[in-house]
């Protein structure tokens, strides 16, 4: 996978016969007390390697557009104007990357939290993707399609098991963070990419210490097992990861590092 262009809100990678475009929706600051040990207690101390701007953890919020030139898929949609004002730049990122949102007909969601699904609705209340035909999400997360998101409900395809989304994307259920949390496995002519949502929140810590969980994981032990399983898979040759909360643009490769793992970004993170 090779970086070919980037701007303040996007980065484009060639991935064999596919293009992967990272789209920066923004960031959100969270208190360090969100991090939990294996007993579910807040971590008492963080390593110096974990940056804390103004005393908080800063989580990038990324979405990913993948295309073979004919078929395309948008994975996650950011927060729109439904949460913190530091998010909601997805439509700007699409414009910057030269992607017409009217051409987006298929969207896949990793899970039902605001910073992943609420960008289906633009800040003005209209549908962000007016030609949307299909929207994939884990069956356990379907309850989100009320209120703001109710107009999309009739186009939802629920995921109950591993299933093909198109010729080069497979949806793989990975419950734990939420009941319907889903990872999307993207296969190109040169490798495999796993696109995940909240498998890792704090990359400066959770690769080295994958047993550290997140307060908002619905089932922390299940989320921890899912993370370790995926990290093991990613150490295989020609495997890559794209993560919603990895430092933007959030694309890299994983290696083993002692009892844990290490992440090598394919492009320098946006500060």
């Amino acid at each position: 996978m090779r970086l070919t262009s980037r701007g303040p809100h996007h980065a484009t990678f060639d991935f064999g016969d596919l293009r992967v475009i990272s789209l920066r929706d923004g960031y959100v600051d969270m208190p360090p007390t969100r991090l939990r040990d294996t007993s579910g207690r807040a971590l008492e101390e963080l390593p110096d390697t974990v940056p804390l701007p103004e005393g908080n953890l800063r989580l990038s919020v990324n979405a990913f557009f993948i295309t073979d030139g004919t078929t395309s898929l948008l994975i996650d949609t950011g927060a729109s104007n439904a949460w913190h004002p530091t998010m909601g730049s997805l439509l700007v990122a699409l414009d910057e990357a030269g992607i017409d949102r009217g051409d987006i007909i298929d969207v896949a969601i990793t899970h039902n939290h605001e910073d992943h699904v609420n960008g289906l609705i633009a800040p003005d209340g209209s549908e962000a993707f007016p030609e949307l035909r299909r929207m994939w999400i884990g069956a356990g997360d379907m309850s989100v399609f009320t209120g703001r998101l109710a107009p999309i409900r009739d186009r939802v395809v629920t995921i109950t098991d591993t299933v093909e989304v198109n010729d080069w994307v497979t949806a793989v259920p990975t419950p734990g963070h939420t009941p319907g949390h889903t990872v999307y496995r993207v296969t190109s002519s040169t490798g495999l990419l796993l696109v995940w949502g909240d498998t890792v929140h704090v990359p400066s810590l959770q690769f080295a210490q994958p047993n550290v969980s997140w307060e908002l994981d619905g089932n922390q032990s299940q989320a921890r097992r899912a993370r370790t399983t995926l990290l093991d898979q990613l150490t295989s040759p020609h495997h890559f990861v794209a993560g919603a909360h990895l430092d933007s643009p959030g694309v890299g490769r994983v290696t083993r590092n002692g009892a844990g793992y290490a992440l090598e970004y394919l492009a320098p993170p946006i500060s």
Side-chain angles (χ1 to χ4, degrees), residues 110-113 140-141 172-183 198-199 201 213-227 230:
T110 59
H111 66 291
N112 62 3
H113 288 166
D141 287 358
V172 182
T174 53
H177 180 64
T178 64
H181 193 276
T182 301
V183 166
D198 283 17
T199 301
H201 289 83
S213 61
W214 190 246
E215 180 185 11
L216 301 180
D217 290 336
N219 184 320
Q220 291 186 10
S221 60
Q222 191 177 36
R224 193 179 299 115
R225 289 193 300 272
R227 178 166 47 257
L230 293 172

Side-chain angles (χ1 to χ4, degrees), residues 48-129:
D48 293 339
T49 53
V50 178
L52 293 172
E54 299 182 6
N56 288 311
L57 301 164
R58 179 156 293 176
L59 281 60
S60 288
V61 180
N62 310 312
F64 300 93
F65 179 86
I66 306 169
T67 182
D68 65 3
T70 301
T71 302
S72 63
L73 180 70
L74 176 65
I75 302 178
D76 279 352
T77 65
S80 189
N81 61 336
W83 201 12
H84 290 261
T86 52
M87 295 181 282
S89 296
L90 180 72
L91 301 185
V92 173
L94 288 168
D95 287 343
E96 182 183 283
I99 301 167
D100 185 342
R101 58 186 172 125
D103 292 337
I104 296 174
I105 62 174
D106 289 330
V107 172
I109 299 295
T110 59
H111 66 291
N112 62 3
H113 288 166
E114 293 95 328
D115 49 332
H116 301 263
V117 70
N118 277 1
L120 287 163
I121 302 299
D124 65 4
S126 66
E127 291 190 19
F129 312 109

